[in-house]
Amino acid sequence: MREGLGAAGVDGKHMQIGEVAARTELSQRTIRHYEETGLVVPSARSQGGFRLYTEKDVDRLMVIRRMKPLGFTLDQMCDLLDATDRIDTGIGLDADEHEALLERVRVYEQAAVEQVEKLRIQLSRAEDFATTLRTRLDQNAPAAAQRD
């Protein structure tokens, strides 16, 4: 815990949960839930006990936010974040461990690519459906207007 930080993170490096929520478009409740599950931990607390976050924390929350709509579970998010954290620090990793971590990340990248393709197909079908409905409405609009 860092001492001397005001509730507004006056050191210019910390943000309170409300600002983080606005920046990430996650609710404060969701951010607290992610904290409870261990996905993100505030970098500091103010003297008043307010959660304080850094840009790195915001980046982590954005990874989580981007994974969620792709159907990744909280356990998968935790696993990916653990792998990327360990890669980023590199502390105590030999070449084999580093490669194993990279492979874990590759698996998630491939799963994300596959899910994005599925979503593209769903979006295309939804757009086709909306176009079909619009065409039907346009074809029937003059008939309805002529009856008046």
Side-chain angles (χ1 to χ4, degrees):
M1 186 178 326
R2 296 182 53 171
E3 297 297 323
L5 296 177
V10 294
D11 66 357
K13 296 178 183 176
H14 288 86
M15 298 161 267
Q16 285 189 339
I17 193 169
E19 182 180 348
V20 172
R23 289 192 49 200
T24 60
E25 298 179 347
L26 294 168
S27 69
Q28 291 182 28
R29 181 177 180 185
T30 297
I31 294 169
R32 287 186 196 102
H33 173 69
Y34 290 153
E35 180 184 351
E36 290 168 8
T37 60
L39 286 172
V40 68
V41 178
S43 290
R45 294 260 182 183
S46 70
Q47 289 178 340
F50 293 100
R51 294 168 173 85
L52 297 174
Y53 299 88
T54 62
E55 282 299 323
K56 187 175 179 181
D57 299 325
V58 170
D59 291 345
R60 188 176 185 89
L61 284 164
M62 292 303 293
V63 168
I64 296 165
R65 193 186 107 193
R66 290 176 182 128
M67 289 181 79
K68 191 67 175 162
L70 296 177
F72 290 101
T73 66
L74 292 176
D75 286 341
Q76 290 171 318
M77 291 176 195
C78 187
D79 183 55
L80 176 64
L81 291 167
D82 174 65
T84 57
D85 287 347
R86 291 179 61 201
I87 290 169
D88 290 347
T89 61
I91 298 171
L93 294 179
D94 64 30
D96 289 340
E97 290 171 315
H98 188 259
E99 185 53 39
L101 291 169
L102 289 175
E103 183 56 31
R104 278 170 58 190
V105 175
R106 285 185 198 104
V107 168
Y108 286 107
E109 187 267 344
Q110 183 58 43
V113 167
E114 290 171 8
Q115 193 59 28
V116 166
E117 185 55 33
K118 288 177 184 178
L119 289 170
R120 280 193 179 111
I121 292 167
Q122 287 180 335
L123 177 60
S124 176
R125 289 176 181 161
E127 289 172 336
D128 289 346
F129 177 63
T131 299
T132 299
L133 293 176
R134 173 55 46 208
T135 300
R136 181 170 293 238
L137 288 170
D138 291 345
Q139 289 171 346
N140 288 295
Q146 290 175 359
R147 286 187 239 157
D148 290 338

